[in-house]
Amino acid sequence: MGALALQVIGYVETNAYDASLRGGGAATDSGSPIGVVDTGFFLTARLHAFLERNRHWNDVLAGVNSLVLVVPSVYAAYTMLWVGDFSLVFRLLATQLLRSFCGWFTYLPPDPEYLMSYYDFPDVFQCFVKDCSGDPAKQEVLPFVSFFSGHVGTIVICANHMYMYGHRKMAVMLHVMNIFQIVRLLASRGHYSIDIIIGWCVAVYVCNPAGRLGSYYARGEIQAVLPQTPTEAFEVVTGISDSLNEKRVATLLKNPDAQKLMRSVRKKEREDVWCSVKNDTIAQFAAEHLKTEMEAYSRKED
């Protein structure tokens, strides 16, 4: 596996600029005047040509996409204000803040073939303060942060939260809509492929600590998770703390009792007796037991 991974890495590094290997033109033809080689653009070339000839369809798809983004917004407000669960909102805010941070330090200009629509997000909001009465095909492109995709990140975070808390049909529907969204974003040249890939990775892996922070905040225990010493602050900033937590959890899961409890939780989830983990007494017992074991392990480690 290691040798295969090294071969893939070496092949990509030595052929990074060869558009012909991705379905584009000649090896020296990037397919873009600014020199960007994007496989997603090559794969959606026909759809891009269709949308370019039929700009009204580009507006329709952009409008539908913007309406889809209303669902995560309403769901996030519901979980925060009605349920009292702040984990989702914290993850969404952390993702958007990270996106703004990246966009401030490196601004990626839109592709020259970008098909702007005043019905797209965030253009629709910019039109409240700017004149959007002209033909978007002839107007200057409204600025927006490209790296990374907030569209993809928002949908994935909300869909995964829905799935975890019993709204599985809606979650699957959102993930399916996200696939269509990705195709549209590439076809309209609204995002590069790397924007979408990293948006997905941030939603699945990077923003998890923010979700945990939101859970502690909802319980009024946020001070308990903030760094108390310079060493703890260093571990949090460098990411070592997450690795240490993974190591501790792996050690706990070697305990036969913990393994038995985890199997019981998984069985109950498969049976789908309860829609929420909050109502699953076995899951609560397992979580409390694991928390006790982790605290004991931490004291022993200290």
Side-chain angles (χ1 to χ4, degrees):
M1 290 295 292
L4 179 60
L6 290 175
Q7 287 182 346
V8 172
I9 294 170
Y11 181 82
V12 173
E13 288 286 350
T14 55
N15 296 279
Y17 198 64
D18 194 341
S20 64
L21 298 175
R22 298 165 170 83
T28 57
D29 180 15
S30 67
S32 172
I34 61 174
V36 175
V37 180
D38 196 300
T39 305
F41 287 5
F42 296 139
L43 295 175
T44 57
R46 291 185 179 181
L47 182 56
H48 171 77
F50 172 81
L51 295 177
E52 189 175 27
R53 293 192 305 267
N54 303 273
R55 294 300 291 262
H56 62 283
W57 274 111
N58 185 56
D59 290 339
V60 169
L61 294 180
V64 171
N65 200 159
S66 296
L67 289 176
V68 171
L69 291 174
V70 173
V71 176
S73 302
V74 173
Y75 178 72
Y78 164 76
T79 59
M80 179 180 68
L81 300 176
W82 186 261
V83 180
D85 178 8
F86 286 79
S87 62
L88 175 59
V89 174
F90 269 61
R91 292 186 68 176
L92 291 173
L93 288 176
T95 299
Q96 296 302 328
L97 282 173
L98 177 60
R99 180 171 176 268
S100 299
F101 182 83
C102 294
W104 182 256
F105 279 89
T106 302
Y107 172 73
L108 296 178
D111 188 84
E113 297 181 342
Y114 169 55
L115 303 177
M116 184 174 66
S117 172
Y118 294 142
Y119 298 94
D120 208 344
F121 184 89
D123 305 63
V124 64
F125 289 107
Q126 294 195 42
C127 288
F128 286 119
V129 296
K130 296 182 179 180
D131 182 16
C132 297
S133 59
D135 183 358
K138 301 177 181 179
Q139 299 297 319
E140 182 180 354
V141 174
L142 297 176
F144 64 93
V145 175
S146 176
F147 184 86
F148 45 89
S149 174
H151 287 70
V152 173
T154 298
I155 292 291
V156 171
I157 290 173
C158 288
N160 289 352
H161 190 278
M162 288 178 177
Y163 192 91
M164 288 175 57
Y165 287 93
H167 310 289
R168 298 194 171 185
K169 291 183 179 179
M170 179 63 74
V172 172
M173 187 182 300
L174 271 183
H175 276 299
V176 172
M177 292 298 295
N178 195 28
I179 295 174
F180 289 107
Q181 172 180 252
I182 290 171
V183 174
R184 186 197 73 85
L185 290 172
L186 291 173
S188 65
R189 307 301 188 246
H191 274 295
Y192 299 104
S193 296
I194 188 65
D195 303 334
I196 292 169
I197 295 171
I198 299 303
W200 190 291
C201 291
V202 169
V204 175
Y205 302 107
V206 179
C207 65
N208 289 334
R212 293 195 294 270
L213 187 64
S215 298
Y216 280 100
Y217 177 82
R219 298 195 298 266
E221 301 174 357
I222 194 170
Q223 293 293 335
V225 296
L226 294 178
Q228 303 297 322
T229 66
T231 300
E232 291 180 355
F234 171 78
E235 292 175 351
V236 170
V237 172
T238 58
I240 296 176
S241 60
D242 287 337
S243 299
L244 288 175
N245 287 333
E246 291 178 2
K247 179 182 176 182
R248 291 162 184 158
V249 171
T251 302
L252 287 173
L253 291 179
K254 293 179 181 179
N255 187 314
D257 293 334
Q259 293 177 6
K260 183 179 179 180
L261 288 169
M262 289 298 295
R263 285 195 295 269
S264 299
V265 173
R266 289 171 182 161
K267 181 180 179 181
K268 287 299 180 183
E269 288 178 348
R270 285 195 299 268
E271 294 174 351
D272 200 21
V273 177
W274 291 283
C275 293
S276 173
V277 175
K278 294 180 180 179
N279 298 325
D280 192 337
T281 55
I282 294 181
Q284 289 181 349
F285 178 71
E288 293 172 0
H289 183 81
L290 288 174
K291 181 179 179 181
T292 302
E293 291 284 344
M294 181 174 286
E295 290 174 351
Y297 179 80
S298 299
R299 288 194 296 268
K300 181 180 178 181
E301 188 180 61
D302 295 338

